Amino acid sequence: MDTTPALMQQDPKDPATWPVGRAELVEPLVRRVLAPNPSPYTFTGTETYVVGAGRDVVVVDPGPVGSEGPYLSQGHLAAILATIGDAALAAILCTHTHRDHSPLSRALKQATGAPIVGCAALALDDDGPRADAAFDPDYVPDRVLADGERISGDGWTIETVATPGHTSNHLCYVLLESGALFTGDHVMGWSTSVVSPPDGDMGLYMQSLQKLYDRGDAVYYPAHGPAVHNTRQFVRGMLGHRRQRERQITRILEEGPAVIPAMVERMYKGLDPRLTGAAGRSVLAHLEDLLRRGRVSRKEETWTILA
Ligand SMILES: [Zn+2]
């Protein structure tokens, strides 16, 4: 008997049509469950993937933890457990440790006994220069996966693809049976990722984009936004977008020294005001990359182009 649910379709531009807390089959070995945490940063929310259709499965990016409002996670945990059903949970994989990705791994581990596997924990300061409120400080992996390392189960094999840049610990995972890549926040289906120093690094981010371009995986399943099918074209567009941002910055600085808020105002017309801070972090990431390459100098908050 075929009990496979029909492939779900939703309008990628209309978040209201995205089903929260219900498993959608996106390909034979992959089901997606949307968490109830929509926001200007997460689009319709975090997409958790359940991979495998046999005796055991893995979960990629369990999602956020919260007891109220958009982060109400009790229902999301129940939806993940219902999707796993009678299968054993072989591992809980995290792409990185932002708060909308890894925190629910603890409750899922407690409910199933499955190990937390994948990205490393970050040792960020509580209030030092590396402090970042977006991080999950309580994340503790049972096993860290290195680039190229594999885990496998009943009918599935997953290989780790290290992609530092969005965060220094970011990993993608490829399902070898279908060529699908779980891209976390490295490549998202709806927006460019935030690269926020000091942990975010634009130079590494560009290298990791080039790495994906060279791989040419069949399809991307990001943690936010719709699946990406034209992967090479999409990544080429992202690389081009970042180079264009860099050119905008160097052109502004060619007119004279500038501070970041003034650059953001000129570069991001019509930006959602809630995203101004994130845009500033991205400009800083570009400037730090230019600084490392000897193209600009910095004095306090003012940036100057070097000939
Ligand atoms: Zn993230």
Side-chain angles (χ1 to χ4, degrees), residues 260-280:
I260 288 174
M263 290 188 235
V264 168
E265 215 175 291
R266 288 186 57 182
M267 292 171 63
Y268 295 83
K269 307 273 183 215
L271 180 72
D272 181 335
R274 293 172 294 181
L275 296 177
T276 307

Side-chain angles (χ1 to χ4, degrees), residues 148-212:
E149 217 172 322
R150 291 180 181 186
I151 60 167
S152 57
D154 185 12
W156 53 265
T157 307
I158 284 174
E159 188 174 293
T160 310
V161 181
T163 48
H166 172 70
T167 59
S168 60
N169 64 351
H170 197 288
L171 302 176
C172 295
Y173 303 103
V174 63
L175 173 62
L176 295 179
E177 282 73 11
S178 71
L181 187 76
F182 299 94
T183 55
D185 283 359
H186 179 52
V187 173
M188 302 196 289
W190 72 290
S191 161
T192 56
S193 337
V194 174
V195 177
S196 178
D199 192 57
D201 183 308
M202 190 60 74
L204 288 176
Y205 182 71
M206 294 291 276
Q207 282 174 28
S208 293
L209 278 184
Q210 187 63 46
K211 183 176 187 175
L212 291 207

Side-chain angles (χ1 to χ4, degrees), residues 28-57:
L29 289 179
V30 181
R31 284 165 291 168
R32 174 173 62 198
V33 187
L34 178 63
N37 60 326
S39 79
Y41 289 98
T42 60
F43 191 43
T44 57
T46 302
E47 292 161 302
T48 300
Y49 294 95
V50 178
V51 184
R55 288 186 304 277
D56 58 9
V57 298

